DNA sequence: TGATAATTTGACCGGTTGGTAAACATTACA
DNA sequence: TGTAATGTTTACCAACCGGTCAAATTATCA
């Protein structure tokens, strides 16, 4: 028992469709969004809501382990409604990765060649630990992805990420050459800082289980910071 | 069009069913397995095959991301056949965890209170790195599990694992007290060794992507070993 | 060697999952 | 304020997924 729409209509045009018009007589009529080139208030809000929910779910279950229904639930909207904004599960995941990757790499970008080496390394560790504490979901999102072979982000890893690391590795190498820190492989140094700090986000359950109820409070980040700063600063000091 | 079995039969008795008999007249007849108390050659072989395949699949996709069909495919047998040996996906996963966890903790167990502290730490790092190189799937199996909240192994983490770590932490603390190594939080030291070494298994794709084609050969484990030994040994040296 | 037990398979089932179609409801601009 | 355009919902579908069943096949041992 189908009912014709009362008036002609462009029909369902998802927010991510760039342009789609209809011929009326001999001129093409574009939908409003295509004319104004602007996203609706509702679009901004809903996409925000969805990405927040997607982060929650993807980071906890990985891509394949997450379902659109779960995300819709967390976002507080119906599944088809969610699919109106992101047409596939992949699209949501991609949008999320794109949004998060940049801020995730910020601490490394802040690594300053002109600064004091020891102070730079120390503050890099501290910043990474703060991110592990304040944005564990973002960390787990990437961890899940990389762990399962990074099917959706290999490009980013081999491109922008490698480039950035290459650049910073050169800085570290120059510090070592100038005798400001011990000679060491800069790449493995960066890996070591990444792994030790992100460990507190990615393996949080394990860390808390091992520390036990009494020591698993927020203080663990301070303890970790103290230990890691000491380890890296002393471990990288020049020795003869 | 059902056909009666030509002769009486115990029917489907999965290998993990302990005992199940039938009354024939007035005496109970037990199946052969119950009488001989022995597992078949075929059972040993097939369970081995299945667990190997399960390791491959679970470690690459996580629990929820893996399907029984995938595992059956890799194991080279039909799904119902696989389910004849392990009655549920959970049972397979559990069997796998149980088998792997022990060997996974071996290096930490080998940590010797009587040994030379620096040598012990150095050899622990080396052993963990060797495991990351030789058994990356085992590492990823746990990483996937822990990352997603360790739903299936919380018990192991809070029980046997915590206990073992507590014990070894005490050893480290005594070394520090005796002035053999720098004073430091033993738990965070262990976390640091775990994370830096397992990083090369769990984040392998990322490591290889960042190192680039030329440096991503097997030599990366030697480079990592050199760097990490140096870092921890120097970082833990007593200073005044 | 033949009966009995162990193993394997194809067909199937109910629930879930990613995604669609079309009707309905709301918003925003001319 | 009316109407074109945007946003939401209900009902649905086909593929997938974990698991079962009964029959067929193969191995074992008295």
């Amino acid at each position: 028992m189908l009912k014709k729409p009362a008036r002609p209509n462009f029909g369902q045009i998802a927010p991510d469709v760039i342009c789609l018009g209809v011929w009326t007589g001999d001129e093409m009529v574009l939908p409003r969004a295509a004319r104004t080139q602007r996203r609706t208030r509702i679009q901004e809000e809903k996409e925000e809501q969805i990405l927040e929910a997607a982060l929650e779910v993807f980071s906890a279950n990985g891509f394949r382990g997450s379902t659109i229904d779960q995300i819709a639930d967390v976002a507080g909207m119906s599944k088809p409604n969610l699919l109106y904004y992101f047409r596939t599960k992949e699209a949501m995941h991609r949008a999320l990765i794109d949004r998060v990757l940049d801020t995730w790499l910020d601490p490394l970008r802040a690594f300053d060649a002109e600064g004091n080496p020891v102070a730079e390394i120390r503050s890099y560790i501290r910043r990474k630990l703060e991110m592990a504490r304040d944005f564990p979901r973002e960390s787990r999102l990437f961890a899940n992805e990389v762990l399962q072979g990074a099917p959706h982000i290999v490009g980013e890893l081999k491109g922008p990420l490698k480039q950035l690391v290459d650049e910073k590795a050169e800085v570290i190498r120059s510090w070592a050459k100038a005798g400001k820190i011990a000679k060491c492989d800069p790449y493995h140094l960066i890996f070591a800082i990444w792994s030790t700090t992100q460990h507190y986000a990615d393996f949080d359950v394990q860390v808390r289980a091992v520390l036990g109820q009494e020591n698993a409070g927020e203080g663990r980040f301070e303890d970790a910071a103290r230990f890691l700063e000491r380890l890296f600063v002393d471990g990288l000091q020049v020795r003869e």
Side-chain angles (χ1 to χ4, degrees), chain A residues 53 59 61 135 208 213:
Chain A
S59 68
N61 307 108
F135 307 103
R208 289 214 315 271
Q213 204 116 35

Side-chain angles (χ1 to χ4, degrees), chain A residues 107 111-112 115-130 172 175 181 189 193 196-197 224-237:
Chain A
F111 214 90
D112 183 10
N116 173 309
V118 173
E120 284 299 319
I121 288 170
R122 175 175 263 150
S123 90
Y124 182 47
I125 291 170
R126 195 159 272 278
R127 238 176 307 204
K128 285 291 283 179
L129 261 180
E130 279 163 10
I172 294 172
W175 285 343
I181 60 169
L189 169 57
I193 298 178
T196 48
T197 53
R226 243 192 314 277
F227 172 81
L228 291 176
E229 282 182 29
R230 172 91 195 255
L231 175 71
F232 282 96
V233 169
D234 286 3
L236 293 173
Q237 206 150 85

Side-chain angles (χ1 to χ4, degrees), chain A residues 104 124-133 139 190-203 221 224-225 228 232:
Chain A
W104 198 245
Y124 182 47
I125 291 170
R126 195 159 272 278
R127 238 176 307 204
K128 285 291 283 179
L129 261 180
E130 279 163 10
M131 294 196 71
R133 184 192 58 199
S139 185
I190 290 173
F191 292 152
I193 298 178
W194 283 352
S195 58
T196 48
T197 53
Q198 293 182 6
H199 188 79
Y200 293 93
D202 303 342
F203 293 78
F221 287 99
L228 291 176
F232 282 96

